[in-house]
Amino acid sequence: MALTAQSSDSGKQADSGATSGTLTGQTTMLRDRFAIYYESPIPDLDTANATAFAAEDRRQRGRPLFALVVTGPLPARVMIMKHLKGVRAAGLMPLMEWGPVDWPPQQAIRLALIYEKPAGRRIVRRMGDVIKAHQDQQFAKTLLRPLVMALGELHNNGVMHRAVRPTNLFYADAAESRIVLGDCATGPVALDQPVACETIESGMCQPEGRGAGNLADDFYALGASAVMLLTGRNPLIDVADDEIVKRKLTQGSYATLVSDQRVPLNMIEVLRGLLADDKEQRWDFEQLDLWFNGRRMSPVQAKPLKRAQRAFVFMNQEFLSPRHLAHEMATHWDKAAPIVLEGKLEIWLRRGLEDNQLADQVAMAIRNAAAGSQHSRGGINDLALANVLIVMDPDAPIRFRGFRAHMDGFGGVLSAAIARGQDTKPFTEVILAEIPKMWLGVRDHFSPEYVQLDGTFRELREFLIDGVNKGSGLERCLYEMNESQQCMSKLFEKDLVLTIRDVLPALDRLGARMDSKTHPLDRHVVAFVAARFPKEIGPQLLALNESDPKRSTLGMLSLLAVLQWRLGPEAVHGLCSWVGGLMGPIINSYQSRERRRWLEREIPRLVRKGSLPELYNFVDDAEERKSDFDEYRRARAEWSAANHQIKALESGQVGADENAERMGEKAAATGSVGIAIVTVAIVLAGYLL
Amino acid sequence: MGSGMALKVGVVLMLAVGLFLFLPTVLVLVVCMLPTGVALVVDRSASRSGWLCVGGLNFAAMAPSLFELWFEDHSLEFATSVISDVFALMLIYGAAGIGWLVYMTTPRIISSVMEMTSSHRIEKLKAQQQRLVEEWGPEVTRDDSGSGEGRGRASAAG
C-alpha cells in the first residue's frame, strides 16, 4: 500500500470551483479528486475517533459526500479500508475513497475517508435516546434485510463491521424508509460498542480488548440493535455494563434485551436466532436468508447450563454455574483469590457441581501458578485466579485483575493504553506470566490458529523480556499485534506512517528540519520497521543496539540503507542530510586523521545524491577500513620503535661522560704515542739515510 | 727461593752493568722523562693512560737529543750538555705539558661531540612521534602491553 499525502496547495486558497455549488471555503485534496472542506465540519456525522467535514467529488460534482478525518489518538482500521472501498450494498454507507491528506487545521498529515452522505439523519444520537418504535410489518424486509445483506457482503470481503449499533445507523433516504450501516473503519474494532450490543463474551472484555470478532458477533449486534429499533428505546440504558453481562448470563441475551418490551410476533424468531448466546445456535447468513425468504423455523432455545446441586456462596450471592461464578470472581478479584487458593472452590466443583474433571483442572491451574511463578504471594494469587477463571469459563476473555481481553484483543488494549498514556503493566504481566498459554491449554479441540497464537505470544514474551533493546519491548508488541497501527513515534506526530513504505518518505520530510542531535530511529520507529519489514534485519538491529556509538550509528545507517534499497524511494535528500550529520562516530572510528578529513569532505557530496546505501558503502568501505587498520598498526609500531630508541638514547647519556672520558684518554694516549713513533722514525731516518 | 733471589741479584747486577755502560743515556732519560714519571705516579684515571699521553710527546721531544747522543757522542759530557740545555729541556718538558693538556681535554671534547649527536637524534625521533600523533591521534601512543608510559611520552613529544 503506497500512501502519499496529496498536496493541498490548490486547496489552501479559496476554491472557486467549490463556490459553484453550496460548498465554499478552504479545502484539502484527497488523491487529487476529493475536496475536503476543513472549515465546514458536520458534527452530526462525527465518530468517536474522527471528525466529519463536508466533501466534494471534483469529477462528479453534486454528489452528496462527507469526509471523516481521523483526528483522534486511536488507530483506524486501515487494513479493512481497501476491502471496504470495494463493497457496495444497499445497507451500507459506501466508502468512496480513503488515504492520507495534508490537514491544515493541525498542520499535519491525517487519514481521511470519503463516504457517500446518507440523505437521512442518524437514527439515534445517543444510546439513551427514545425514538418512535419501528413496529411496522415491513421492518424485516425494508430495514433488517439490507443490513444483513450488507454484513454478509462485508464478510465475503473479509471485513467484520463490529460497529453495528443504533447510534451508527443512518436513514439512507429522506423518507426514512431505508437504513444503512455507518462507518466502522475510523476507530479500533468494536471500541465504541455498548455492552448491550455485544455478546456475553465480548461484553466481559474491556472495550479495547474485544478483538476482531466474526460475523456472528455482527449478527448479534444487529439483533440487539433491531430490538432497540423495534421498541424505540434501549431497554438497558440505566443498567451498568457489568449488570448487563450478569443478566445476560443468568437470563440469556434475548430475555435481557427484550424483557417485557413488545416486539412484533413475526420478529421473535429472528431475534432469538440473532441473540442466541451459544455461537453454534446463533443464526448465520444462510439461516437469515432462508428466514427472509419465508421459511420459518422453531425459535432457538437456550441450552441449559450445567447447574450444581448446591450453591457456592460468594459475595453473599449463591451461584450454581461455574460460568456465573467465574464472572463474579473476576469482578471482585481481591475477594476471590483467597477463596480459590483455599480450595473451597475445588471442593464445591467436586461435591456441589459433581464435575471432577473441572475440579482437577482447577487444582492443576492453581498448582501451575504456584510452581511456575517467580512472583510474590500476591502475584501467585493473581496468576492462580486468572488460570482458574480460564478453566471455569473457557469462552470468556482472559481476565487478570483489571485486564480483560480476548486473545485477539490484546493488541487493541496495548494500542489504546499507549495512545492514552495509560499504564501498560497489566498487559506485560499477563504475557510474562504466560496466561495465554493456559488459555490455549484448555481448548477442547485443535486448531491451527491456536498453534499460531502460541507462537505469537511466545514471541511477544521474548520481546518483553528483551525490552531494553530497540526493536523489542512494548513497542514491538504493539506493532506485531496491530496490523493497522500507525507508527507512534514522536517524530511522526505531524505525519502519518501506516506502512513500512511510508517510513523513509516521512523521515525524509523531517530530515530537512532536524538537527544533528536527534536520532531518526527511536524505539517506535525501530519496532515499527522490525514488525513490518518482511526481510531479515537481525544483524542491523544487533548493531543498532550496541553501546559503542560507532557500531550503533553504523547499525542505524545500515537499517535505513536496507530500507531504501529494498523499498525505495530512489533518493531521500532530507534524510541523507540528517543522517549525514550523525556520521561523527563512524568518521571518528577511522584512526587516520587524514582519512577522517577526506570522509568529511566526501560525505556532503554523497548526501546530495540522496542514496543511503551509497552513503553506507562509502563510510563502511571494507578496503578503507583494512587499510586504515593496517596503517594504524604500522604507525603504532613505528611510534613504539621511536620510543624505544629515545629511551635508549636517553639512558645512554647517563654513562656518556664516563664513556667519553675513557675514549678521550685512549684517543689522547694513542695520538701521543703515534706522534712519538713518527718523531722517532723521522729522526732515525735522518741519521740512517 | 734460591733461584728467585739469584734472579733478583742477576737483574740488579745487569742494571748496574747497564747503568755503568749506558750512563749518558740513562742520565738523559732520567732527567728528560721526568714528567712522564710524575704522570705515571699522579694518574688516577681508570684507564691509567695519562703517562702514555705525556710520555709519548715527552719522548718525541726528547728523541732528537737522545739520537744525537747515541749516534754522535755517547759521552757523559755530551749528556750533561743536553740536560743542561735550558731550551732543549723547555722543549721536552713543554711537550710533556702539552701531552698532559691533551690528556685532560680530549675526553671532554669527545663527550661534547657524543652528546650533541644523541640529542639531535632524540629530537628527530620525537618529531617523528609528533607527526604520528598528529596523523593517528593520541591512540597511536597506546602501548600493546597496556602500560601508560607511551601516552606520557606522546604528551611530552607534543
Side-chain angles (χ1 to χ4, degrees), chain A residues 331-386:
Chain A
T331 314
H332 301 94
W333 190 271
D334 289 326
K335 298 256 181 345
I339 294 170
V340 168
L341 286 167
E342 280 165 16
K344 286 180 187 169
L345 177 67
E346 191 189 334
I347 294 167
W348 175 72
L349 290 172
R350 288 192 197 284
R351 297 184 187 163
L353 194 66
E354 294 175 349
D355 190 338
N356 283 332
Q357 191 184 350
L358 185 56
D360 290 343
Q361 282 182 313
V362 165
M364 180 67 79
I366 295 169
R367 272 203 301 278
N368 284 348
S373 176
Q374 306 296 317
H375 297 88
S376 60
R377 180 78 192 159
I380 293 172
N381 288 359
D382 289 340
L383 183 55
L385 183 55

Side-chain angles (χ1 to χ4, degrees), chain B:
Chain B
M1 184 177 173
S3 65
M5 181 60 77
L7 185 66
K8 282 180 183 172
V9 170
V11 169
V12 169
L13 280 175
M14 279 181 72
L15 280 172
V17 172
L19 188 67
F20 179 74
L21 287 176
F22 301 107
L23 189 62
T25 299
V26 171
L27 186 65
V28 168
L29 279 175
V30 167
V31 174
C32 292
M33 292 299 283
L34 196 62
T36 301
V38 172
L40 187 63
V41 174
V42 300
D43 186 13
R44 290 283 175 270
S45 68
S47 60
R48 308 275 294 173
S49 55
W51 71 274
L52 270 175
C53 195
V54 173
L57 289 183
N58 194 183
F59 189 79
M62 188 197 69
S65 303
L66 189 64
F67 281 107
E68 198 177 353
L69 177 71
W70 286 349
F71 288 102
E72 289 182 9
D73 182 12
H74 192 255
S75 65
L76 203 60
E77 289 78 18
F78 190 80
T80 310
S81 71
V82 169
I83 60 173
S84 58
D85 185 348
V86 177
F87 293 105
L89 277 180
M90 275 178 68
L91 182 71
I92 291 163
Y93 287 178
I98 288 169
W100 187 254
L101 207 65
V102 168
Y103 174 71
M104 296 295 284
T105 54
T106 307
R108 289 186 189 161
I109 291 167
I110 287 182
S111 172
S112 298
V113 169
M114 281 175 71
E115 194 177 352
M116 224 162 62
T117 311
S118 68
S119 296
H120 182 65
R121 176 77 181 137
I122 287 171
E123 286 306 313
K124 272 181 75 178
L125 288 168
K126 283 186 176 174
Q128 182 192 355
Q129 282 187 320
Q130 180 60 27
R131 274 200 310 279
L132 289 170
V133 169
E134 280 168 11
E135 172 54 29
W136 298 97
E139 305 92 306
V140 80
T141 68
R142 201 176 299 144
D143 197 351
D144 284 333
S145 62
S147 77
E149 197 179 352
R151 194 175 289 280
R153 172 72 62 200
S155 318

Side-chain angles (χ1 to χ4, degrees), chain A residues 202-242:
Chain A
S202 190
M204 287 175 176
C205 296
Q206 58 193 96
E208 304 83 5
R210 288 170 176 159
N214 50 39
L215 184 59
D217 294 323
D218 274 342
F219 282 152
Y220 181 97
L222 182 62
S225 302
V227 170
M228 294 173 197
L229 293 179
L230 287 165
T231 59
R233 68 187 197 88
N234 176 8
L236 299 170
I237 188 60
D238 296 324
V239 184
D241 288 349
D242 196 48

Side-chain angles (χ1 to χ4, degrees), chain A residues 18-86:
Chain A
T19 54
S20 58
T22 55
L23 297 171
T24 56
Q26 309 282 345
T27 62
T28 186
M29 296 298 293
L30 172 62
R31 302 204 195 278
D32 288 331
R33 177 175 173 181
F34 297 95
I36 301 170
Y37 291 82
Y38 58 82
E39 289 175 339
S40 304
I42 313 172
D44 285 352
L45 296 172
D46 284 353
T47 67
N49 200 40
T51 314
F53 294 89
E56 183 183 50
D57 184 352
R58 288 287 161 85
R59 292 189 201 163
Q60 289 184 28
R61 289 173 191 270
R63 191 177 181 185
L65 297 175
F66 77 102
L68 280 172
V69 180
V70 181
T71 49
L74 300 172
R77 295 171 69 190
V78 178
M79 288 298 144
I80 67 164
M81 288 180 191
K82 55 188 166 193
H83 302 295
L84 205 56
K85 187 182 159 189

